[in-house]
Amino acid sequence: MSVDQLEQASDATLVVSIGRYHEDALAEVYRRHAGAVFALSRRLLSDRTLAEEIVQEVFLRLWNDPDRFDPQRGSLRSYLLAQCHGRSVDLIRSESSRRRREEKELTLAAEAGYDLEREVWDLAVGDRVKNALRELPDGEREAILLAYFGGHTYREVADLLDTPEGTVKSRIRAGLKKMRGELTAVGIG
Amino acid sequence: MMGFSHDEIMELLGAYALDAVDDHERDAIEAHLPECPRCSAEVADHREVAAMLAYSGAPAPEGVWSKIADTLEEPPPELDLAGLTGRRPAPVATDELAQRRDRRDRRPVLLGAAAAALLVVGLVAGAFIGADDATPSDPGELAAASIETLARDALNDPSAKQVSLSSPDDEPISATAAVHSDGSGFLLGTSLPALDARETYQLWGVREGVVVSLGVLGHSPDVVAFHLDPTTEALAITVETAGGVPVSNNPAILVGTVA
Protein backbone atom coordinates (compact mmCIF):
# COMPACT_ATOMS: atom_id res chain seq x y z
CA MET A 1 0.00 0.00 0.00
CA SER A 2 1.13 3.55 -0.70
CA VAL A 3 1.40 6.10 2.10
CA ASP A 4 -1.94 7.61 1.04
CA GLN A 5 -3.62 4.24 0.96
CA LEU A 6 -2.25 3.38 4.38
CA GLU A 7 -3.49 6.61 5.87
CA GLN A 8 -6.94 6.06 4.42
CA ALA A 9 -7.20 2.35 5.23
CA SER A 10 -9.54 1.27 8.01
CA ASP A 11 -8.05 -0.28 11.12
CA ALA A 12 -9.55 -3.64 10.15
CA THR A 13 -7.90 -3.46 6.72
CA LEU A 14 -4.58 -2.65 8.32
CA VAL A 15 -4.85 -5.70 10.59
CA VAL A 16 -5.50 -7.92 7.56
CA SER A 17 -2.33 -6.46 6.00
CA ILE A 18 -0.44 -7.15 9.20
CA GLY A 19 -1.55 -10.76 8.85
CA ARG A 20 0.20 -10.69 5.47
CA TYR A 21 3.38 -9.47 7.12
CA HIS A 22 3.12 -5.90 5.85
CA GLU A 23 5.30 -3.97 8.23
CA ASP A 24 4.09 -0.61 6.96
CA ALA A 25 0.56 -1.53 8.07
CA LEU A 26 1.81 -2.13 11.59
CA ALA A 27 3.67 1.19 11.44
CA GLU A 28 0.42 2.94 10.51
CA VAL A 29 -1.47 1.27 13.37
CA TYR A 30 1.36 2.33 15.66
CA ARG A 31 1.15 5.91 14.39
CA ARG A 32 -2.59 5.95 15.09
CA HIS A 33 -2.77 4.28 18.46
CA ALA A 34 0.60 4.01 20.19
CA GLY A 35 0.18 7.39 21.87
CA ALA A 36 -3.02 6.28 23.60
CA VAL A 37 -1.53 2.92 24.57
CA PHE A 38 1.55 4.62 25.99
CA ALA A 39 -0.46 7.22 27.90
CA LEU A 40 -2.66 4.59 29.52
CA SER A 41 0.24 2.39 30.49
CA ARG A 42 2.26 5.29 31.86
CA ARG A 43 -0.72 6.44 33.84
CA LEU A 44 -1.22 3.00 35.36
CA LEU A 45 2.43 2.23 36.03
CA SER A 46 3.83 5.72 36.69
CA ASP A 47 6.99 4.55 34.96
CA ARG A 48 8.00 5.66 31.49
CA THR A 49 10.38 2.77 30.83
CA LEU A 50 7.86 0.12 31.85
CA ALA A 51 5.18 1.89 29.84
CA GLU A 52 7.37 1.81 26.73
CA GLU A 53 7.93 -1.90 27.25
CA ILE A 54 4.18 -2.41 27.41
CA VAL A 55 3.75 -0.48 24.14
CA GLN A 56 6.37 -2.67 22.51
CA GLU A 57 4.71 -5.82 23.80
CA VAL A 58 1.22 -4.80 22.71
CA PHE A 59 2.27 -4.02 19.13
CA LEU A 60 4.48 -7.08 18.79
CA ARG A 61 1.58 -9.19 19.97
CA LEU A 62 -0.58 -7.66 17.26
CA TRP A 63 2.13 -8.45 14.70
CA ASN A 64 2.58 -12.02 15.85
CA ASP A 65 -1.08 -12.81 16.43
CA PRO A 66 -3.33 -10.48 14.41
CA ASP A 67 -6.13 -13.06 14.37
CA ARG A 68 -6.82 -12.31 18.01
CA PHE A 69 -8.35 -9.00 16.98
CA ASP A 70 -11.93 -9.50 15.86
CA PRO A 71 -13.37 -6.36 14.24
CA GLN A 72 -16.87 -7.71 14.93
CA ARG A 73 -16.21 -7.36 18.64
CA GLY A 74 -15.07 -3.78 18.81
CA SER A 75 -12.58 -1.25 17.59
CA LEU A 76 -8.87 -1.85 17.22
CA ARG A 77 -8.23 0.99 19.61
CA SER A 78 -10.29 -0.60 22.39
CA TYR A 79 -8.62 -3.94 21.68
CA LEU A 80 -5.12 -2.47 21.96
CA LEU A 81 -6.02 -0.50 25.07
CA ALA A 82 -7.56 -3.59 26.67
CA GLN A 83 -4.34 -5.50 25.96
CA CYS A 84 -2.33 -2.65 27.41
CA HIS A 85 -4.55 -2.38 30.48
CA GLY A 86 -4.49 -6.10 31.18
CA ARG A 87 -0.72 -6.29 30.91
CA SER A 88 -0.19 -3.16 32.99
CA VAL A 89 -2.51 -4.45 35.71
CA ASP A 90 -0.65 -7.76 35.70
CA LEU A 91 2.53 -5.83 36.42
CA ILE A 92 0.91 -3.80 39.16
CA ARG A 93 -0.46 -6.91 40.82
CA SER A 94 2.78 -8.83 40.54
CA GLU A 95 4.56 -6.28 42.69
CA SER A 96 5.22 -6.96 46.33
CA SER A 97 2.54 -6.81 48.95
CA ARG A 98 4.58 -3.98 50.42
CA ARG A 99 3.77 -1.72 47.53
CA ARG A 100 0.16 -2.83 47.57
CA ARG A 101 -0.13 -1.97 51.26
CA GLU A 102 1.49 1.39 50.69
CA GLU A 103 -0.81 2.11 47.81
CA LYS A 104 -3.82 1.15 49.84
CA GLU A 105 -2.76 3.32 52.76
CA LEU A 106 -2.11 6.22 50.43
CA THR A 107 -5.49 5.89 48.82
CA LEU A 108 -7.25 5.54 52.14
CA ALA A 109 -5.44 8.58 53.48
CA ALA A 110 -6.55 10.54 50.46
CA GLU A 111 -10.01 9.10 50.41
CA ALA A 112 -11.78 12.22 51.55
CA GLY A 113 -10.01 14.35 49.04
CA TYR A 114 -9.64 11.78 46.29
CA ASP A 115 -9.47 14.09 43.35
CA LEU A 116 -11.68 12.43 40.82
CA GLU A 117 -12.01 15.58 38.82
CA ARG A 118 -8.26 15.79 38.45
CA GLU A 119 -8.17 12.15 37.45
CA VAL A 120 -10.63 12.91 34.72
CA TRP A 121 -9.15 16.17 33.53
CA ASP A 122 -5.69 14.68 33.37
CA LEU A 123 -6.90 12.22 30.82
CA ALA A 124 -7.30 14.80 28.11
CA VAL A 125 -10.52 13.09 27.15
CA GLY A 126 -13.08 14.79 24.99
CA ASP A 127 -15.67 17.01 26.64
CA ARG A 128 -18.45 14.56 25.99
CA VAL A 129 -16.67 11.67 27.64
CA LYS A 130 -15.90 13.88 30.62
CA ASN A 131 -19.51 15.00 30.80
CA ALA A 132 -20.78 11.45 30.64
CA LEU A 133 -18.46 10.48 33.47
CA ARG A 134 -19.38 13.52 35.50
CA GLU A 135 -23.05 12.75 35.23
CA LEU A 136 -22.67 9.33 36.80
CA PRO A 137 -23.61 8.94 40.46
CA ASP A 138 -20.52 9.41 42.64
CA GLY A 139 -20.39 5.77 43.67
CA GLU A 140 -20.36 4.53 40.11
CA ARG A 141 -17.76 7.05 38.98
CA GLU A 142 -15.44 6.32 41.89
CA ALA A 143 -15.70 2.57 41.41
CA ILE A 144 -14.92 2.79 37.70
CA LEU A 145 -11.95 5.11 38.13
CA LEU A 146 -10.42 3.14 40.99
CA ALA A 147 -10.77 -0.09 39.05
CA TYR A 148 -9.61 1.19 35.69
CA PHE A 149 -6.92 3.70 36.56
CA GLY A 150 -6.01 2.34 39.98
CA GLY A 151 -5.67 -1.22 38.70
CA HIS A 152 -7.76 -2.49 41.62
CA THR A 153 -10.09 -5.46 41.59
CA TYR A 154 -13.70 -4.72 42.49
CA ARG A 155 -13.05 -6.42 45.85
CA GLU A 156 -10.22 -4.02 46.55
CA VAL A 157 -12.39 -1.12 45.45
CA ALA A 158 -15.07 -2.33 47.86
CA ASP A 159 -12.51 -2.35 50.61
CA LEU A 160 -11.19 1.09 49.70
CA LEU A 161 -14.65 2.61 49.56
CA ASP A 162 -16.01 0.59 52.46
CA THR A 163 -18.83 -0.62 50.28
CA PRO A 164 -20.19 -4.18 49.80
CA GLU A 165 -18.49 -6.08 46.97
CA GLY A 166 -21.77 -6.81 45.23
CA THR A 167 -22.62 -3.13 45.23
CA VAL A 168 -19.29 -2.22 43.67
CA LYS A 169 -19.49 -4.72 40.83
CA SER A 170 -23.04 -3.61 40.11
CA ARG A 171 -22.00 0.03 40.13
CA ILE A 172 -19.13 -0.57 37.74
CA ARG A 173 -21.40 -2.37 35.31
CA ALA A 174 -24.22 0.13 35.63
CA GLY A 175 -21.88 3.09 35.23
CA LEU A 176 -20.27 1.68 32.10
CA LYS A 177 -23.69 0.98 30.61
CA LYS A 178 -24.88 4.50 31.33
CA MET A 179 -21.77 5.99 29.78
CA ARG A 180 -22.19 3.82 26.72
CA GLY A 181 -25.77 5.00 26.39
CA GLU A 182 -24.81 8.65 26.85
CA LEU A 183 -21.96 8.50 24.39
CA THR A 184 -23.90 6.58 21.80
CA ALA A 185 -26.70 9.13 22.09
CA VAL A 186 -24.29 11.94 21.21
CA GLY A 187 -22.77 9.98 18.36
CA ILE A 188 -19.65 8.64 20.04
CA GLY A 189 -18.89 4.97 20.16
CA MET B 1 -19.23 -22.00 34.20
CA MET B 2 -17.21 -23.28 37.14
CA GLY B 3 -19.97 -22.73 39.67
CA PHE B 4 -21.16 -19.34 38.44
CA SER B 5 -24.70 -18.81 37.28
CA HIS B 6 -25.39 -16.80 34.16
CA ASP B 7 -26.66 -13.92 36.27
CA GLU B 8 -23.52 -13.98 38.39
CA ILE B 9 -21.39 -13.91 35.27
CA MET B 10 -23.37 -10.97 33.91
CA GLU B 11 -22.95 -9.02 37.14
CA LEU B 12 -19.19 -9.40 36.78
CA LEU B 13 -18.94 -8.25 33.16
CA GLY B 14 -18.27 -4.58 33.92
CA ALA B 15 -15.51 -5.39 36.38
CA TYR B 16 -14.14 -8.02 33.99
CA ALA B 17 -13.90 -5.49 31.16
CA LEU B 18 -11.78 -3.30 33.43
CA ASP B 19 -9.54 -6.23 34.48
CA ALA B 20 -10.96 -5.86 37.98
CA VAL B 21 -11.95 -9.44 38.74
CA ASP B 22 -10.02 -12.21 40.47
CA ASP B 23 -8.36 -14.97 38.46
CA HIS B 24 -11.01 -17.63 39.12
CA GLU B 25 -13.74 -15.21 38.09
CA ARG B 26 -11.87 -14.26 34.93
CA ASP B 27 -11.45 -17.95 34.06
CA ALA B 28 -15.17 -18.57 34.49
CA ILE B 29 -16.11 -15.56 32.38
CA GLU B 30 -13.67 -16.44 29.62
CA ALA B 31 -15.04 -19.97 29.50
CA HIS B 32 -18.53 -18.52 29.19
CA LEU B 33 -18.01 -15.76 26.62
CA PRO B 34 -17.42 -17.89 23.51
CA GLU B 35 -20.81 -19.52 23.98
CA CYS B 36 -22.77 -16.39 24.89
CA PRO B 37 -23.01 -13.67 22.22
CA ARG B 38 -25.00 -11.44 24.56
CA CYS B 39 -22.31 -11.36 27.24
CA SER B 40 -19.58 -11.04 24.57
CA ALA B 41 -21.33 -8.01 23.12
CA GLU B 42 -21.69 -6.45 26.55
CA VAL B 43 -17.98 -6.87 27.28
CA ALA B 44 -17.15 -5.31 23.90
CA ASP B 45 -19.37 -2.34 24.77
CA HIS B 46 -17.74 -1.90 28.17
CA ARG B 47 -14.30 -2.00 26.56
CA GLU B 48 -15.27 0.69 24.09
CA VAL B 49 -16.23 2.92 27.02
CA ALA B 50 -12.97 2.11 28.78
CA ALA B 51 -11.08 2.99 25.60
CA MET B 52 -12.80 6.37 25.57
CA LEU B 53 -11.87 6.95 29.19
CA ALA B 54 -8.30 6.20 28.28
CA TYR B 55 -8.44 8.53 25.34
CA SER B 56 -5.33 10.54 24.94
CA GLY B 57 -4.09 12.65 22.11
CA ALA B 58 -0.54 12.04 23.27
CA PRO B 59 2.01 11.33 20.56
CA ALA B 60 3.50 7.88 20.18
CA PRO B 61 6.60 7.41 22.34
CA GLU B 62 9.86 8.15 20.57
CA GLY B 63 12.30 5.35 19.92
CA VAL B 64 9.88 2.51 20.65
CA TRP B 65 8.92 1.96 17.01
CA SER B 66 12.50 1.31 15.98
CA LYS B 67 12.76 -1.32 18.72
CA ILE B 68 9.59 -2.96 17.45
CA ALA B 69 10.70 -2.84 13.81
CA ASP B 70 14.01 -4.45 14.73
CA THR B 71 12.31 -7.49 16.17
CA LEU B 72 9.71 -8.15 13.47
CA GLU B 73 9.89 -11.55 11.88
CA GLU B 74 10.35 -11.79 8.14
CA PRO B 75 7.40 -13.05 6.10
CA PRO B 76 7.49 -16.86 6.30
CA PRO B 77 5.96 -17.88 2.98
CA GLU B 78 8.22 -15.72 0.85
CA LEU B 79 11.36 -17.04 2.49
CA ASP B 80 10.21 -20.60 1.90
CA LEU B 81 9.65 -19.90 -1.73
CA ALA B 82 13.05 -18.35 -2.23
CA GLY B 83 14.74 -21.64 -1.48
CA LEU B 84 12.44 -23.65 -3.65
CA THR B 85 12.79 -21.53 -6.74
CA GLY B 86 16.53 -22.00 -6.74
CA ARG B 87 17.31 -18.53 -5.51
CA ARG B 88 19.97 -18.93 -2.90
CA PRO B 89 20.73 -16.45 -0.18
CA ALA B 90 24.10 -14.76 -0.26
CA PRO B 91 26.71 -16.17 2.14
CA VAL B 92 26.12 -14.89 5.63
CA ALA B 93 28.10 -14.63 8.82
CA THR B 94 27.89 -17.52 11.27
CA ASP B 95 25.80 -15.78 13.91
CA GLU B 96 23.44 -14.47 11.26
CA LEU B 97 23.14 -18.02 10.00
CA ALA B 98 22.21 -19.16 13.45
CA GLN B 99 19.65 -16.42 13.57
CA ARG B 100 18.18 -17.45 10.23
CA ARG B 101 18.17 -21.09 11.27
CA ASP B 102 16.25 -20.10 14.34
CA ARG B 103 13.76 -18.27 12.17
CA ARG B 104 13.56 -21.10 9.69
CA ASP B 105 12.44 -23.38 12.48
CA ARG B 106 9.37 -21.24 12.84
CA ARG B 107 9.07 -20.16 9.24
CA PRO B 108 7.00 -22.94 7.73
CA VAL B 109 4.29 -22.51 10.35
CA LEU B 110 1.24 -21.64 8.34
CA LEU B 111 0.00 -18.51 9.99
CA GLY B 112 -2.95 -16.90 8.28
CA ALA B 113 -4.87 -13.71 8.82
CA ALA B 114 -8.50 -13.83 9.80
CA ALA B 115 -9.19 -13.13 6.14
CA ALA B 116 -7.57 -16.41 5.19
CA ALA B 117 -10.31 -18.40 6.83
CA LEU B 118 -12.87 -16.37 4.92
CA LEU B 119 -11.08 -16.91 1.64
CA VAL B 120 -11.29 -20.63 2.13
CA VAL B 121 -14.94 -20.55 1.24
CA GLY B 122 -14.27 -18.77 -2.01
CA LEU B 123 -11.37 -20.89 -3.08
CA VAL B 124 -12.35 -24.35 -2.06
CA ALA B 125 -14.86 -24.74 -4.81
CA GLY B 126 -13.64 -28.03 -6.19
CA ALA B 127 -14.10 -31.56 -5.00
CA PHE B 128 -11.56 -32.99 -2.61
CA ILE B 129 -11.64 -36.69 -2.82
CA GLY B 130 -9.11 -38.83 -1.03
CA ALA B 131 -8.81 -42.18 -2.78
CA ASP B 132 -8.20 -43.77 0.59
CA ASP B 133 -11.83 -43.05 1.37
CA ALA B 134 -13.01 -45.22 -1.51
CA THR B 135 -13.99 -48.78 -0.78
CA PRO B 136 -13.91 -51.64 -3.30
CA SER B 137 -16.92 -52.16 -5.55
CA ASP B 138 -18.64 -48.96 -4.63
CA PRO B 139 -19.07 -45.82 -6.71
CA GLY B 140 -16.20 -44.22 -4.83
CA GLU B 141 -13.82 -46.66 -6.46
CA LEU B 142 -14.97 -45.56 -9.87
CA ALA B 143 -14.61 -41.94 -8.88
CA ALA B 144 -11.09 -42.59 -7.63
CA ALA B 145 -10.18 -44.38 -10.83
CA SER B 146 -11.57 -41.51 -12.83
CA ILE B 147 -9.64 -38.95 -10.79
CA GLU B 148 -6.49 -41.00 -11.22
CA THR B 149 -6.93 -40.92 -14.99
CA LEU B 150 -7.53 -37.19 -14.97
CA ALA B 151 -4.52 -36.73 -12.75
CA ARG B 152 -2.26 -38.73 -15.09
CA ASP B 153 -3.56 -36.68 -18.00
CA ALA B 154 -2.80 -33.47 -16.14
CA LEU B 155 0.72 -34.67 -15.37
CA ASN B 156 1.34 -35.31 -19.03
CA ASP B 157 -0.27 -32.08 -20.17
CA PRO B 158 2.51 -29.63 -21.08
CA SER B 159 0.16 -26.69 -20.59
CA ALA B 160 -0.55 -27.66 -16.97
CA LYS B 161 1.68 -26.23 -14.23
CA GLN B 162 3.69 -28.93 -12.51
CA VAL B 163 4.40 -28.53 -8.82
CA SER B 164 6.99 -30.59 -6.98
CA LEU B 165 6.47 -30.55 -3.26
CA SER B 166 9.46 -31.41 -1.13
CA SER B 167 10.34 -31.38 2.53
CA PRO B 168 11.87 -28.16 3.90
CA ASP B 169 13.63 -30.37 6.42
CA ASP B 170 15.05 -32.68 3.75
CA GLU B 171 12.88 -35.59 4.85
CA PRO B 172 12.61 -38.32 2.16
CA ILE B 173 8.99 -37.53 1.33
CA SER B 174 7.53 -35.74 -1.66
CA ALA B 175 4.38 -35.16 -3.68
CA THR B 176 3.56 -33.92 -7.14
CA ALA B 177 0.71 -31.74 -8.27
CA ALA B 178 -0.45 -30.63 -11.68
CA VAL B 179 -2.66 -27.57 -12.10
CA HIS B 180 -4.59 -26.60 -15.22
CA SER B 181 -4.96 -22.97 -16.23
CA ASP B 182 -8.57 -22.98 -14.98
CA GLY B 183 -7.32 -23.74 -11.47
CA SER B 184 -8.33 -27.40 -11.37
CA GLY B 185 -5.51 -29.44 -9.94
CA PHE B 186 -4.51 -32.91 -8.86
CA LEU B 187 -2.14 -34.03 -6.17
CA LEU B 188 -0.76 -37.48 -6.76
CA GLY B 189 2.01 -39.97 -6.40
CA THR B 190 2.64 -38.99 -2.84
CA SER B 191 5.15 -40.80 -0.75
CA LEU B 192 3.42 -39.61 2.35
CA PRO B 193 3.32 -42.23 5.07
CA ALA B 194 -0.11 -43.21 6.39
CA LEU B 195 -1.03 -41.28 9.50
CA ASP B 196 -2.92 -42.34 12.55
CA ALA B 197 -6.66 -42.21 11.78
CA ARG B 198 -7.01 -39.31 14.20
CA GLU B 199 -4.80 -37.19 11.94
CA THR B 200 -5.04 -35.93 8.38
CA TYR B 201 -2.87 -34.29 5.77
CA GLN B 202 -4.13 -30.87 4.71
CA LEU B 203 -3.28 -28.98 1.53
CA TRP B 204 -2.73 -25.20 1.57
CA GLY B 205 -2.25 -22.55 -1.08
CA VAL B 206 -0.13 -19.42 -0.57
CA ARG B 207 -1.15 -16.26 -2.39
CA GLU B 208 0.33 -12.82 -1.66
CA GLY B 209 1.53 -14.12 1.67
CA VAL B 210 -1.92 -15.35 2.69
CA VAL B 211 -2.31 -19.03 3.45
CA VAL B 212 -5.58 -20.64 2.39
CA SER B 213 -6.82 -24.17 2.95
CA LEU B 214 -7.31 -26.07 -0.29
CA GLY B 215 -8.66 -29.20 1.28
CA VAL B 216 -8.29 -32.02 3.75
CA LEU B 217 -6.45 -34.96 2.16
CA GLY B 218 -7.20 -37.75 4.60
CA HIS B 219 -4.75 -39.82 6.60
CA SER B 220 -3.46 -41.85 3.67
CA PRO B 221 -3.87 -39.83 0.49
CA ASP B 222 -3.14 -41.22 -2.94
CA VAL B 223 -4.79 -39.05 -5.60
CA VAL B 224 -6.68 -35.91 -4.67
CA ALA B 225 -8.47 -33.33 -6.79
CA PHE B 226 -8.51 -29.70 -5.72
CA HIS B 227 -9.17 -26.25 -7.06
CA LEU B 228 -7.13 -23.13 -6.51
CA ASP B 229 -7.02 -19.50 -7.45
CA PRO B 230 -4.86 -19.12 -10.59
CA THR B 231 -2.64 -16.58 -8.81
CA THR B 232 -1.65 -19.07 -6.11
CA GLU B 233 2.12 -18.97 -5.72
CA ALA B 234 2.85 -22.05 -3.69
CA LEU B 235 1.38 -25.21 -2.20
CA ALA B 236 2.09 -26.65 1.22
CA ILE B 237 0.97 -29.71 3.17
CA THR B 238 0.64 -29.97 6.93
CA VAL B 239 -0.44 -32.67 9.34
CA GLU B 240 -3.54 -31.74 11.32
CA THR B 241 -6.08 -33.40 13.54
CA ALA B 242 -8.70 -35.38 11.59
CA GLY B 243 -11.21 -33.07 9.97
CA GLY B 244 -8.66 -30.37 9.28
CA VAL B 245 -8.37 -26.81 10.59
CA PRO B 246 -9.31 -23.39 9.15
CA VAL B 247 -5.94 -21.91 10.10
CA SER B 248 -2.88 -24.03 10.79
CA ASN B 249 -0.26 -23.47 13.42
CA ASN B 250 1.76 -26.46 12.36
CA PRO B 251 4.91 -26.54 10.24
CA ALA B 252 4.63 -27.48 6.59
CA ILE B 253 6.02 -30.92 5.92
CA LEU B 254 6.00 -30.34 2.14
CA VAL B 255 6.17 -27.13 0.15
CA GLY B 256 6.44 -26.36 -3.55
CA THR B 257 6.10 -23.34 -5.82
CA VAL B 258 3.49 -23.18 -8.55
CA ALA B 259 5.78 -22.56 -11.50
Side-chain angles (χ1 to χ4, degrees):
Chain A
M1 276 194 269
S2 69
V3 173
D4 281 352
Q5 285 173 320
L6 279 171
E7 288 179 356
Q8 288 166 15
S10 69
D11 280 350
T13 301
L14 290 174
V15 175
V16 171
S17 290
I18 289 168
R20 295 174 181 175
Y21 296 93
H22 292 167
E23 188 178 321
D24 50 1
L26 184 70
E28 176 62 17
V29 171
Y30 181 88
R31 191 186 67 76
R32 292 181 189 181
H33 302 302
V37 172
F38 178 60
L40 176 61
S41 187
R42 192 171 56 175
R43 179 173 196 83
L44 283 158
L45 297 168
S46 303
D47 184 314
R48 184 182 181 91
T49 306
L50 278 178
E52 287 182 354
E53 285 175 14
I54 295 284
V55 171
Q56 200 172 340
E57 195 176 320
V58 166
F59 283 88
L60 279 175
R61 192 180 291 182
L62 179 66
W63 174 259
N64 290 323
D65 210 355
D67 292 354
R68 287 176 64 93
F69 166 64
D70 179 356
Q72 304 298 321
R73 292 188 180 180
S75 65
L76 179 61
R77 189 184 192 85
S78 70
Y79 171 78
L80 293 171
L81 287 169
Q83 298 277 312
C84 164
H85 191 270
R87 188 67 192 106
S88 300
V89 165
D90 282 348
L91 275 183
I92 290 171
R93 292 181 190 160
S94 68
E95 288 201 13
S96 68
S97 57
R98 179 192 56 77
R99 177 185 156 161
R100 292 172 68 90
R101 277 200 303 276
E102 284 177 1
E103 195 176 51
K104 184 174 171 182
E105 284 159 9
L106 260 179
T107 313
L108 283 173
E111 187 180 358
Y114 191 74
D115 192 352
L116 295 176
E117 284 301 306
R118 184 187 63 76
E119 291 293 308
V120 177
W121 285 101
D122 282 356
L123 304 179
V125 294
D127 285 344
R128 286 170 173 170
V129 177
K130 282 183 277 189
N131 286 339
L133 190 63
R134 202 183 283 131
E135 284 173 15
L136 291 181
D138 290 348
E140 292 177 8
R141 187 170 59 242
E142 286 170 346
I144 288 172
L145 291 176
L146 281 171
Y148 193 61
F149 292 113
H152 296 288
T153 65
Y154 74 88
R155 288 198 166 88
E156 291 169 337
V157 173
D159 195 18
L160 289 168
L161 298 178
D162 196 21
T163 305
E165 291 175 359
T167 304
V168 169
K169 66 181 172 187
S170 296
R171 284 178 177 171
I172 290 174
R173 184 177 179 221
L176 290 172
K177 280 187 166 181
K178 282 179 198 163
M179 284 195 71
R180 179 69 170 170
E182 281 286 319
L183 295 169
T184 304
V186 294
I188 304 176
Chain B
M1 284 187 277
M2 300 183 198
F4 287 84
S5 71
H6 189 247
D7 284 349
E8 287 169 330
I9 292 273
M10 288 181 79
E11 273 302 297
L12 285 166
L13 294 180
Y16 168 76
L18 303 187
D19 298 307
V21 294
D22 291 334
D23 289 350
H24 73 286
E25 292 167 329
R26 186 183 61 225
D27 291 345
I29 294 166
E30 290 181 351
H32 172 68
L33 289 181
E35 59 194 40
C36 183
R38 186 174 161 196
C39 288
S40 280
E42 184 176 327
V43 169
D45 279 353
H46 291 330
R47 285 196 168 141
E48 290 298 326
V49 173
M52 284 183 260
L53 282 174
Y55 177 78
S56 161
E62 286 178 20
V64 177
W65 171 252
S66 60
K67 288 182 193 169
I68 293 171
D70 285 348
T71 54
L72 299 183
E73 286 284 346
E74 293 169 51
E78 288 174 12
L79 290 176
D80 267 339
L81 303 182
L84 291 165
T85 51
R87 281 180 277 142
R88 297 284 179 245
V92 289
T94 312
D95 52 350
E96 194 181 341
L97 257 183
Q99 217 173 35
R100 288 190 180 191
R101 193 175 303 118
D102 177 55
R103 287 182 178 183
R104 191 192 61 183
D105 289 342
R106 283 178 280 171
R107 197 184 311 149
V109 173
L110 293 172
L111 295 173
L118 298 175
L119 284 170
V120 170
V121 178
L123 290 176
V124 184
F128 306 104
I129 303 170
D132 59 314
D133 294 334
T135 53
S137 303
D138 80 13
E141 187 179 50
L142 290 173
S146 165
I147 287 171
E148 191 164 347
T149 304
L150 291 169
R152 297 286 171 205
D153 289 348
L155 259 192
N156 293 322
D157 182 348
S159 68
K161 292 177 180 175
Q162 309 297 325
V163 186
S164 296
L165 292 98
S166 58
S167 164
D169 300 320
D170 298 325
E171 295 293 327
I173 52 174
S174 63
T176 304
V179 184
H180 290 297
S181 57
D182 65 356
S184 60
F186 300 90
L187 183 79
L188 76 166
T190 68
S191 65
L192 298 173
L195 298 171
D196 185 284
R198 289 167 296 183
E199 294 179 314
T200 181
Y201 291 106
Q202 188 162 354
L203 179 65
W204 304 86
V206 182
R207 187 171 65 113
E208 293 180 354
V210 178
V211 180
V212 177
S213 173
L214 297 179
V216 177
L217 308 179
H219 65 90
S220 180
D222 186 7
V223 182
V224 181
F226 60 91
H227 191 276
L228 51 67
D229 185 286
T231 60
T232 299
E233 296 149 0
L235 299 178
I237 293 176
T238 60
V239 174
E240 307 294 346
T241 53
V245 292
V247 178
S248 176
N249 288 314
N250 289 326
I253 59 160
L254 289 177
V255 288
T257 50
V258 180

